[in-house]
Amino acid sequence: MRENPFFWELFSKVPIIGIVRNLAFDDLKNILPQFHDAGLTNIEITMNTARAGEMIKYAVDNYSTSMNIGAGTVCSEDDLNKALDAGARFIVTPIINEKVILNCVDKKIPIFPGAFTPSEIYRAWSMGASMIKIFPATTVG
């Protein structure tokens, strides 16, 4: 795991997470400066994107002083390990995977698990999630 702290002050400055999904590596290189110039301070690169680990590493190596770079669509411990090895500062999941959540809590990595029902939200929060992503939010408008 690469040592890259999550900066809550950057998150609070612009509490929005931009999502990079299914972009080519060269497209990421072109879009990150635009995200940065627009003032976006939090970027999630989804693990189901080709070369996600390389993209996370590139983003962390080039933007770690002004952006929190994280990994999204983390569904397994294998995904989590790859994301953390690449330097992800935070983790977003579309599901509640207890092992992933507890592993992040133990390592003090901010974890934003996806939950939908009040019971799922309560369960994720009780495990120590930093924040809950209501997912899929489009279902309730």
Side-chain angles (χ1 to χ4, degrees):
M1 182 174 91
R2 298 173 71 200
E3 193 64 34
N4 292 300
F6 182 85
F7 297 111
W8 282 104
E9 54 277 2
L10 279 177
F11 184 84
S12 297
K13 184 178 177 184
V14 181
I16 297 169
I17 298 175
I19 300 173
V20 174
R21 180 185 316 278
N22 296 326
L23 287 182
F25 193 88
D26 287 339
D27 292 334
L28 174 78
K29 288 180 179 180
N30 292 325
I31 203 167
L32 279 176
Q34 294 175 40
F35 283 169
H36 178 268
D37 292 348
L40 197 55
T41 59
N42 308 285
I43 303 294
E44 162 194 341
I45 299 170
T46 64
M47 293 303 291
N48 59 352
T49 297
R51 300 176 66 188
E54 293 173 68
M55 290 180 171
I56 292 168
K57 182 181 181 326
Y58 174 85
V60 168
D61 288 348
N62 291 280
Y63 293 91
S64 64
T65 60
S66 58
M67 297 174 121
N68 287 312
I69 308 297
T73 316
V74 175
C75 296
S76 67
E77 288 181 284
D78 186 51
D79 288 342
L80 175 62
N81 292 330
K82 288 176 184 174
L84 295 179
D85 287 346
R89 290 183 172 173
F90 66 94
I91 302 296
V92 181
T93 72
I95 60 171
I96 295 176
N97 179 320
E98 187 171 317
K99 290 180 181 180
V100 169
I101 294 170
L102 294 176
N103 198 333
C104 286
V105 170
D106 184 53
K107 292 178 179 175
K108 298 183 178 15
I109 303 291
I111 173 79
F112 310 143
F116 185 69
T117 67
S119 294
E120 289 174 334
I121 294 166
Y122 179 79
R123 182 170 166 230
W125 190 254
S126 295
M127 284 187 270
S130 308
M131 201 172 295
I132 309 298
K133 168 184 164 178
I134 306 302
F135 184 79
T138 55
T139 304
V140 291

